[in-house]
Each structure stands twice: as C-alpha cells, then as structure tokens.
Amino acid sequence: MNKKPFVIFGLLLILLAVVIPFWAFEKDGNTANNEGIPSESTPGKQLFQTNCGNCHTLYAAGTDGDFGPNLDAKLAPAGPPADETAVKGIKTQVMAAIEEGADSPDVPGRMPAGIVTGTVADEIADFVAHYAGEG
Ligand code: HEC
C-alpha cells in the first residue's frame, strides 16, 4: 500500500496544529513587547492635539492651528533638539507659556495662563520639547 498520502496528511496536520498557532502567538508576542514607542502613541501628543492644536501648528502632532505661533518655527527653528540639554531648554519655555500664558506686545492674540496643569501640562511640555522642529 502507498503510504504517501498519509505522510502528506500528517505533515499538513502538523502545520495546522503546531506551526500556524506558534506563528500567530509569536506575532502577538512581538507586538506586546514592542519597545520603540513612536510619537504616535505618546499621551503628550493626544493631549497637545486636544488642548493646544486649535491654536498652534506642530508638525509632529499634525495640528495646523494658526491663532498662536507655529511651535516648530518658534521653539526649534534649526530642527529637532540635538541633546537632552536642548530638550530641557524647550520644555522650560513651554512650561512657562503654559503656566504664565503669553502676551507679547508685538504678537496679535494672547495665550491664557493655565490651560492645562499638573501631569497633563508636564506630558504636553515633554512631548513638544522632544518633537518640536520636525516639520
Ligand atoms: C487660545 C489659543 C491658544 C491655545 C489653546 C494655546 N496657545 Fe500657546 N499661544 C497662543 C498665542 C496667541 C501665543 C502668542 C502669545 C504672545 O506671544 O503674545 C502663544 C504662545 C505660545 C508659546 C510661545 C511662548 C513664548 O515663549 O513666547 C508656546 C511655547 C505655547 N504657546 C505653547 C502652548 C501649549 C503647549 C499649549 C497647550 C497646552 C498652548 N500653547 C495652547 C495661543 C494659544
């Protein structure tokens, strides 16, 4: 008797029962362990879109508000910050704007103080400091 069909069927069974679930499991595992978190999923980005995007353009957040200054041009005219010191400098400037508001005599419109506070303010300032200048 020819055993070939049984061998082929056996191999097919192994493929279905072992290889495919293993492959699917591996894929899930990889997604869950993904370490490089893109700016797309940082909480600061969404918070920026909600609280600042109506007035400010920021390329990394995909916002195009034009009531206030374009924050890429304003905060990082030479491109994204090169090191942590530069990031901290921008973050300080953003926190100052959030906490104190901004009302320069030469700029039309003003930014009210305290639009956001606490950890929300911190998340936003952190996001802006890291991603300003990408556009
Ligand atoms: C109601 C509109 C409005 C909203 C909302 C707003 N801003 Fe502003 N923002 C402005 C205006 C207008 C200016 C310019 C004010 C000026 O210089 O007179 C400004 C200026 C700034 C500046 C520059 C300050 C400087 O150093 O001169 C930063 C940084 C800033 N905003 C960040 C933010 C962030 C972060 C948020 C969200 C928490 C935000 N803004 C929300 C209107 C807004």
Side-chain angles (χ1 to χ4, degrees):
M1 192 178 118
N2 187 355
K3 287 189 181 147
K4 211 172 168 192
F6 294 99
V7 174
I8 291 172
F9 183 70
L11 286 175
L12 206 69
L13 260 187
I14 290 171
L15 186 75
L16 289 176
V18 180
V19 178
I20 290 178
F22 182 74
W23 174 72
F25 180 76
E26 269 286 288
K27 274 186 85 176
D28 278 358
N30 282 345
T31 319
N33 289 332
N34 200 347
E35 279 185 26
I37 298 170
S39 77
E40 283 68 47
S41 50
T42 59
K45 179 179 178 178
Q46 282 203 339
L47 292 168
F48 182 92
Q49 289 168 339
T50 310
N51 296 290
C52 324
N54 285 341
C55 291
H56 289 289
T57 293
L58 183 73
Y59 179 81
T63 62
D64 60 359
D66 63 359
F67 183 71
N70 175 317
L71 292 185
D72 293 308
K74 172 91 193 172
L75 300 171
D83 53 25
E84 276 305 307
T85 313
V87 169
K88 272 200 189 128
I90 298 176
K91 187 170 175 181
T92 305
Q93 197 179 344
V94 176
M95 282 307 285
I98 293 174
E99 284 167 4
E100 293 152 27
D103 193 10
S104 336
D106 53 328
V107 179
R110 61 179 285 274
M111 174 167 156
I115 292 174
V116 290
T117 54
T119 46
V120 173
D122 194 73
E123 291 275 12
I124 291 175
D126 210 62
F127 167 73
V128 174
H130 279 93
Y131 293 101
E134 285 193 350

Short mmCIF file of all heavy atoms in Angstrom, two decimals, residues 5 25 91 95 123:
data_model
loop_
_atom_site.label_atom_id
_atom_site.label_comp_id
_atom_site.label_asym_id
_atom_site.label_seq_id
_atom_site.Cartn_x
_atom_site.Cartn_y
_atom_site.Cartn_z
N PRO A 5 0.10 9.39 0.74
CA PRO A 5 -0.98 10.30 1.14
C PRO A 5 -1.03 10.52 2.65
O PRO A 5 -1.29 11.63 3.12
CB PRO A 5 -2.25 9.59 0.65
CG PRO A 5 -1.78 8.67 -0.41
CD PRO A 5 -0.39 8.26 -0.04
N PHE A 25 1.07 33.16 17.63
CA PHE A 25 1.44 33.51 19.00
C PHE A 25 2.69 34.39 19.00
O PHE A 25 2.75 35.40 19.67
CB PHE A 25 1.69 32.21 19.79
CG PHE A 25 2.09 32.45 21.20
CD1 PHE A 25 1.14 32.82 22.15
CD2 PHE A 25 3.40 32.30 21.59
CE1 PHE A 25 1.52 33.03 23.45
CE2 PHE A 25 3.77 32.52 22.90
CZ PHE A 25 2.84 32.89 23.84
N LYS A 91 11.52 72.56 26.96
CA LYS A 91 10.49 72.18 27.92
C LYS A 91 10.23 73.31 28.92
O LYS A 91 9.08 73.62 29.24
CB LYS A 91 10.88 70.90 28.66
CG LYS A 91 9.76 70.38 29.54
CD LYS A 91 10.05 68.99 30.09
CE LYS A 91 8.94 68.60 31.07
NZ LYS A 91 9.15 67.27 31.66
N MET A 95 6.69 75.10 29.46
CA MET A 95 6.05 75.14 30.78
C MET A 95 5.75 76.58 31.19
O MET A 95 4.69 76.86 31.76
CB MET A 95 6.96 74.47 31.84
CG MET A 95 6.94 72.95 31.82
SD MET A 95 5.29 72.21 31.91
CE MET A 95 4.89 72.45 33.63
N GLU A 123 3.20 66.28 30.56
CA GLU A 123 3.22 65.37 29.40
C GLU A 123 3.29 66.17 28.10
O GLU A 123 4.02 65.81 27.18
CB GLU A 123 1.93 64.53 29.35
CG GLU A 123 1.77 63.50 30.45
CD GLU A 123 2.48 62.19 30.11
OE1 GLU A 123 3.26 62.17 29.16
OE2 GLU A 123 2.24 61.21 30.83
#
